Amino acid sequence: MLDEQRVRSDTPGAGSGSVFLDSAGSSLPPREVTETVIAHLRREAEIGGYQAANERLDDLAAVKDAIAELLNTTPASIALSDSATRSWTDFCYSVRLRPGDRVLISGSDYASNAIAALQHAHANGARVEHIPSDDTGQLDLDAFADMMDERVALVSLLHAPTNGGLVNPVAEATEIAHAAGALVLLDACQSVGQLPLDVAELGVDALSATGRKWLRGPRGTGLLYVRPELATSLEPGRLDLHSAQWTAPGEYRLAPDARRFEFWEHDVAARLGLGAAVRYLLDLGPDVVYDAIAARAAYLRKGLADIPGVTVRDLGVRHSGIVSFTLDAIEPIQVRNRLADQNITVTVSHRGSTLLDMAARGLDSVVRASPHYFVGFDELDRFLTAVSVL
């Protein structure tokens, strides 16, 4: 069972009188994360960045250990970066495309992914197509199977979209893609830290994620998992003296594992903070955390559905911790701003971030509420009451 008293005590923002419902954007970090980051910055000011980093080499290595434990993989399969977008695009551009190749993206895929896929495909004579959704809103597995052929080089799957509570059937879709010889890149930006993620069970070839959302880590942190057997066959489009070694005047040798997707320069304090965030989650117990988030999101969906004039916009069979909705005659931005006046934080997801899905549903924007486990049910009731009288 979740120790609610502990997590609220560990979260300064949770006791400030506000209602924070934007962990799908950038969550409130535990005190331990903030203190880890600040302590290292202070140490850098005392002795310089190089020496301060050298003092924490074991701790920096332990960041990958913690992430590997969370994802059920090995540390060597993890590359750290400054964002989920950086991780996703680095892998995408490392997949060699030829004229006539096809790249498939999810119907709810994120704009950054789609833009990168389009650029990479256009530069190489390939094309991008999107996978239809079924009547529930999730990936249409039958239609997806019909789309697959030997020309599909890469499939982009979105685990949980940014604009609603949908959760896609990743393992099933990956099996279909692999049967046709395609690689699968999973965007887990909105699922890591709130949904179970076992890369062995999912079977994906790569997975990108951020630290700042449900993991409750610092901004400017991201990660990439690359299937170990695959990592040695890919060459990223950008290299430095960390991702490769200069072995002769005209030669270089790539790092033998996922490190080839990393650069030497990075924010050491933020990376240590990411490690602290993942260890905090592991210490609480991931399954306990996932259940707590699911319970809060379900509570909001039911409560919002009971308010006249509110339409819950979440699709799918299985749901994440994101709750999306609209109000009759009130624009989502106005809803956000009016709630902010009452010290309640939600955000708005616009059509441009998930163009295919939002256009298909005739939506320009939705309000997005994303309660983490540190939000109390009394605060959820305060939010529901506020929405009911807008």
Side-chain angles (χ1 to χ4, degrees):
M1 181 178 294
L2 183 70
D3 186 343
E4 295 187 19
Q5 183 175 355
R6 172 194 170 183
V7 299
R8 288 182 65 80
S9 175
D10 289 344
T11 308
S16 64
S18 65
V19 179
F20 186 83
L21 300 174
D22 191 24
S23 285
S26 187
S27 192
L28 303 180
R31 193 185 311 273
E32 179 180 339
V33 171
T34 305
E35 291 177 351
T36 295
V37 172
I38 293 173
H40 189 75
L41 290 175
R42 287 178 174 154
R43 188 59 173 158
E44 286 185 341
E46 293 169 351
I47 63 173
Y50 282 12
Q51 189 173 340
N54 287 339
E55 290 180 343
R56 305 298 298 275
L57 291 178
D58 289 343
D59 295 326
L60 286 167
V63 176
K64 290 187 181 181
D65 293 338
I67 294 170
E69 181 179 346
L70 182 66
L71 300 182
N72 187 29
T73 186
T74 61
S77 69
I78 301 297
L80 300 177
S81 74
D82 59 8
S83 69
T85 297
R86 178 79 67 189
S87 295
W88 194 97
T89 54
D90 280 353
F91 182 87
C92 175
Y93 287 114
S94 74
V95 177
R96 294 183 179 180
L97 298 178
R98 300 166 298 178
D101 279 350
R102 302 164 62 207
V103 177
L104 305 186
I105 65 174
S106 306
S108 54
D109 225 326
Y110 190 58
S112 292
N113 301 352
I115 291 167
L118 286 166
Q119 183 190 44
H120 188 38
H122 291 169
N124 292 280
R127 68 176 187 268
V128 175
E129 304 170 29
H130 78 270
I131 306 165
S133 301
D134 65 18
D135 292 340
T136 72
Q138 70 179 21
L139 285 173
D140 187 327
L141 296 176
D142 291 333
F144 178 45
D146 289 341
M147 295 178 72
M148 295 301 302
D149 62 25
E150 70 281 356
R151 296 172 297 158
V152 178
L154 178 65
V155 175
S156 169
L157 297 180
L158 197 74
H159 199 186
T162 189
N163 66 327
L166 168 72
V167 177
N168 274 312
V170 172
E172 297 87 342
T174 298
E175 186 175 355
I176 292 170
H178 283 171
L183 296 176
V184 175
L185 170 55
L186 177 66
D187 181 337
C189 197
Q190 289 290 3
S191 55
V192 66
Q194 68 134 328
L195 295 172
L197 276 176
D198 184 323
V199 293
E201 290 185 1
L202 294 175
V204 296
D205 299 292
L207 174 154
S208 62
T210 184
R212 76 174 191 270
K213 298 180 184 291
W214 300 95
L215 284 178
R216 304 181 64 198
R219 294 196 69 174
T221 57
L223 64 97
L224 175 68
Y225 157 80
V226 184
R227 182 166 53 82
E229 301 83 0
L230 177 64
T232 56
S233 67
L234 297 175
E235 180 165 338
R238 307 171 303 122
L239 297 172
D240 75 348
L241 78 173
H242 175 82
S243 45
Q245 289 184 328
W246 194 12
T247 56
E251 298 176 5
Y252 63 90
R253 182 172 62 246
L254 288 162
D257 51 30
R259 283 177 297 156
R260 62 181 58 190
F261 287 93
E262 294 180 337
F263 267 20
W264 181 83
E265 180 58 36
H266 60 274
D267 186 335
V268 176
R271 194 161 288 183
L272 291 169
L274 174 61
V278 177
R279 288 192 300 274
Y280 188 85
L281 171 59
L282 292 171
D283 184 53
L284 288 178
D287 289 340
V288 171
V289 166
Y290 304 152
D291 289 345
I293 295 170
R296 283 154 175 78
Y299 187 84
L300 281 193
R301 282 191 194 92
K302 182 179 184 306
L304 286 167
D306 290 340
I307 299 174
V310 171
T311 302
V312 176
R313 298 292 183 175
D314 294 333
L315 302 176
V317 176
R318 181 183 170 209
H319 291 133
S320 75
I322 296 175
V323 182
S324 62
F325 65 98
T326 55
L327 271 72
D328 293 345
I330 307 179
E331 291 296 319
I333 289 178
Q334 293 180 318
V335 174
R336 179 199 64 192
N337 293 345
R338 292 182 190 181
L339 291 174
D341 290 340
Q342 302 178 57
N343 215 11
I344 299 172
T345 301
V346 296
T347 192
V348 174
S349 188
H350 298 278
R351 178 184 288 218
S353 65
T354 47
L355 179 66
L356 296 174
D357 173 64
M358 297 283 271
R361 293 196 279 161
L363 295 170
D364 289 323
S365 58
V366 294
V367 185
R368 186 182 71 183
S370 47
H372 220 313
Y373 58 80
F374 55 75
V375 180
F377 284 91
D378 57 329
E379 294 172 320
L380 300 182
D381 285 335
R382 179 179 155 194
F383 161 76
L384 292 170
T385 299
V387 171
S388 70
V389 296
L390 286 178

